[in-house]
Amino acid sequence: MKNKIVIIVLVVGMVAILGGATLLYNFLGDKVETDRLSVEQNTEFESEDVDEDTQTQEENAEPELTKAPDFTVYDGEGNAFKLSDFEGKPVVLNFWASWCGPCKSEMPDFDTAYSEYGEDIHFLMVNMTDGYQETVESAKEMIAESGYTFPVYYDTDLEAAKAYSVYSIPTTYFLDENGYIIAQGRGALDAKTLQTGIDYIYQVK
């Protein structure tokens, strides 16, 4: 009997914590910093005992980039798409949910950017569809009500979230046309920061 009570208390506690975190996240949505963008690079030396010639060569070498992990998500009709299917053009990869205030705050800028660059850049707006806090239906409803036109994909298996260890949203990755991560942003991005990320992966010809 005591074990059952302990389990019940733990479950209730976890629910309360998650609910409180969600409410706090939404409440602070308008106060979240919107200029968090980091560029992928690997310029640190493994050892301090490096001769001057080697150090100069490493300093002049291009940063080592990370290949974006592949994953499978689904469109609104249930068709499967892999991230690797989109290689050949730069990709803006965004993780979001309809209950996330900061996610919703940045979406107008993403939709504007898609309208401008959609023919040259793939926009993958990946919904964190866990089936409980977020469903395909709730996500579709929010997108329809807002009138957004960017492509939405549903991570119903949470494969994409696991591949990128997404523990907070929104999170955005900027990939080049070969599928390498060039930059990433955690938290809501404003229009200027989003444009900076796009400039890293796409140059108007």
Side-chain angles (χ1 to χ4, degrees):
M1 184 66 179
K2 290 183 178 180
N3 289 338
K4 290 183 178 180
I5 294 175
V6 170
I7 292 174
I8 292 173
V9 170
L10 289 174
V11 170
V12 171
M14 287 298 295
V15 171
I17 291 172
L18 289 173
T22 300
L23 290 173
L24 182 61
Y25 201 56
N26 286 327
F27 175 75
L28 294 176
D30 295 333
K31 302 178 182 179
V32 175
E33 292 182 24
T34 57
D35 59 353
R36 299 174 181 175
L37 195 66
S38 59
V39 180
E40 291 293 306
Q41 57 184 355
N42 182 15
T43 57
E44 295 182 0
F45 301 120
E46 295 182 359
S47 173
E48 293 183 0
D49 298 325
V50 179
D51 60 62
E52 291 184 3
D53 290 339
T54 301
Q55 181 171 335
T56 300
Q57 292 175 3
E58 292 188 0
E59 287 177 345
N60 293 332
E62 293 185 2
E64 181 180 343
L65 300 177
T66 301
K67 186 74 171 182
D70 205 5
F71 57 77
T72 300
V73 288
Y74 305 87
D75 66 10
E77 285 70 50
N79 300 306
F81 290 87
K82 289 182 174 294
L83 175 63
S84 54
D85 294 337
F86 298 93
E87 286 188 18
K89 290 184 180 180
V91 173
V92 175
L93 171 62
N94 177 266
F95 292 91
W96 66 279
S98 64
W99 49 261
C100 165
C103 299
K104 291 189 285 188
S105 72
E106 69 178 1
M107 282 188 169
D109 293 324
F110 276 78
D111 199 52
T112 298
Y114 171 70
S115 298
E116 182 175 354
Y117 297 103
E119 293 186 2
D120 302 304
I121 299 175
H122 291 300
F123 283 74
L124 274 66
M125 306 297 289
V126 176
N127 180 258
M128 306 282 281
T129 324
D130 60 7
Y132 299 97
Q133 195 170 16
E134 180 78 300
T135 63
V136 172
E137 290 72 23
S138 63
K140 281 185 175 181
E141 182 179 355
M142 192 276 282
I143 293 296
E145 288 179 352
S146 302
Y148 295 134
T149 58
F150 48 60
V152 176
Y153 300 89
Y154 301 91
D155 191 18
T156 53
D157 300 325
L158 299 182
E159 183 178 327
K162 291 176 183 176
Y164 286 78
S165 300
V166 177
Y167 56 86
S168 65
I169 52 176
T171 293
T172 305
Y173 287 87
F174 298 88
L175 317 180
D176 68 11
E177 67 275 11
N178 298 313
Y180 287 91
I181 299 173
I182 302 301
Q184 63 174 295
R186 297 193 180 276
L189 304 182
D190 59 16
K192 182 179 179 180
T193 307
L194 175 58
Q195 184 62 55
T196 298
I198 289 174
D199 290 342
Y200 282 136
I201 61 174
Y202 175 71
Q203 298 295 325
V204 179
K205 297 179 181 179

